[in-house]
Amino acid sequence: MSSNKETFGKTVGFVIAVCLVCAALVSISAVQLKPLQVENKLLDQQTKILEAAGLLSETDGTKASVQATFKKFVEAKMIDLNSGEFIEGDPELFDERRNSRDASKSDKPKNDIAGINRRSHDAVVYLVRNESGKVNTVVLPIIGSGLWDLMYGYVGLESDLNTIRSVVYSDHKETPGLGAEVMNPNWKALWPGKKIYDNNGVAKVNLVKGGAKANDIHGVDALSGATLTSNGVTRTLQFWFGEEGYGPFVTKYRAGGVN
């Protein structure tokens, strides 16, 4: 009997020891890999912003090339979404997802057509300059519900803050072959030249089920078989370019331009 108890105790002790060792190894790996994960996330973000700005072709796709091109042409600045004014702050430390979970740093939109629940008080905008130093593109982050979850992306606008250069999604959980077609180069190629606003300054950009007409300056073909995702993209764009999104920023800087 004593022998059985001793054997059971050794087994339990061995299991506990193995668990502790494994937990320690996992913790050490997580700590050591954290800087690499942060670096890779930043690199992916810079790549998507360069794509939205039409500058990805200026790189050879390597980490060093992406970082150098981003540093040369792109300036990240904080804005207050309610006023549209530039504010002090460190764009690299800004975390929209964290802010949107903090009631002191976010609000519930009055008309939450994008389905985001809460909107951060602040945002980061990316001013993209040409070789002469003039801003010719502004890249704005967007967030909104798709079919399964929130979708994150960027809209690149020409300096008139109305004409679209590109719409680039970076993070989503949409269905492959359906909603995930937001990543399809053929669909992304439909966006350049489309207009966000009508003559009255109302955000009219939208995805059109069955396909947009050739003379539709606001419409882009909806995603085939992905009605809810398409509706989500439309509502996301109309929210973020409305008064509770970048509307105040756009109104403030469309007339005189962003320097």
Side-chain angles (χ1 to χ4, degrees), residues 160-172:
D160 63 0
L161 295 181
N162 187 29
T163 305
I164 297 175
R165 285 192 184 275
S166 59
V167 173
V168 177
Y169 275 95
S170 58
D171 185 4
H172 68 83

Side-chain angles (χ1 to χ4, degrees), residues 126-143:
Y126 301 90
L127 309 182
V128 185
R129 303 180 187 278
N130 57 23
E131 290 284 358
S132 63
K134 183 179 180 180
V135 175
N136 64 0
T137 306
V138 179
V139 177
L140 305 174
I142 56 171
I143 309 149

